[in-house]
């Protein structure tokens, strides 16, 4: 599983975090974190997991968080993405 989010850096406070979660359970797979960068740029975060065992009905989500205290724009095209490779 891999994913990425690009945050706007119009606000320089707080932290940015993305994670992939399985079956709505947080903190079970790797996270990617970063501190807020300077003004006028975009900040890309990427995350990937090792091989994850699955059973029928499992699902995954890419979640993005930020702690600046104000709205933070995400670059939706093409810099926010989520994908998986299936190995049988």
């Amino acid at each position: 599983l891999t994913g990425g989010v690009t945050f706007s850096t119009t606000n320089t406070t707080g932290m940015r975090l993305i994670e992939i979660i399985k079956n709505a359970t947080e903190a079970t797979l790797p996270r990617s974190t970063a501190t807020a960068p300077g003004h006028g740029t975009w900040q890309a975060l990427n995350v990937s997991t090792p091989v994850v065992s699955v059973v029928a009905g499992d699902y995954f989500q890419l979640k993005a968080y930020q702690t600046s205290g104000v709205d933070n724009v995400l670059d939706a095209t093409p810099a926010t993405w989520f994908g998986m490779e299936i190995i049988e």
Side-chain angles (χ1 to χ4, degrees):
L1 304 163
T2 58
V5 173
T6 301
F7 292 90
S8 166
T9 58
T10 56
N11 184 309
T12 60
T13 62
M15 181 176 54
R16 317 294 184 253
L17 175 136
I18 65 172
E19 66 181 336
I20 297 172
I21 63 172
K22 179 180 176 182
N23 299 330
T25 303
E26 296 183 17
T28 58
L29 299 172
R31 292 180 173 200
S32 178
T33 62
T35 55
H39 282 293
T41 60
W42 292 90
Q43 176 185 38
L45 292 179
N46 296 300
V47 64
S48 62
T49 69
V51 174
V52 177
S53 296
V54 298
V55 297
D58 283 347
Y59 65 97
F60 299 92
Q61 297 170 291
L62 176 66
K63 294 185 90 175
Y65 306 89
Q66 60 92 19
T67 63
S68 69
V70 297
D71 290 345
N72 194 325
V73 176
L74 299 180
D75 185 6
T77 310
T80 298
W81 57 277
F82 179 66
M84 66 176 65
E85 179 180 355
I86 299 171
I87 302 170
E88 295 187 50

